[in-house]
Amino acid sequence: SKVINHLQHDLSLNNTNIWADFSNTVSRYPDSVAIVCDEGEMTWAQLNERVNALSGHITSLGLAPNQ
């Protein structure tokens, strides 16, 4: 599907790490659909907002990167 192809294409170009690949995909396709489920769709930009919010919450609980 088109949703999966964006990330697969980016991953094949940049095998550095998943976070760099995710960020690159968000930058390249912010308004493209990233997730489709029964409740609806979410764009890469919306998914990135959710990831950042979750990351902030986890950090506020005391977990630091690379732990």
Side-chain angles (χ1 to χ4, degrees):
S1 79
K2 197 175 199 179
V3 173
I4 294 171
N5 286 341
H6 286 315
L7 187 55
Q8 284 178 339
H9 175 73
D10 287 354
L11 288 174
S12 67
L13 293 176
N14 182 8
N15 289 321
T16 55
N17 68 56
I18 190 71
W19 300 115
D21 292 328
F22 180 84
S23 294
N24 288 336
T25 301
V26 171
S27 295
R28 292 179 71 186
Y29 312 106
D31 298 322
S32 293
V33 175
I35 296 175
V36 177
C37 62
D38 292 338
E39 290 80 27
E41 300 176 344
M42 187 179 297
T43 66
W44 284 102
Q46 292 168 325
L47 179 59
N48 189 50
E49 288 176 21
R50 294 266 183 110
V51 168
N52 289 336
L54 180 58
S55 174
H57 176 69
I58 291 171
T59 301
S60 75
L61 297 175
L63 186 62
N66 299 319
Q67 282 188 314

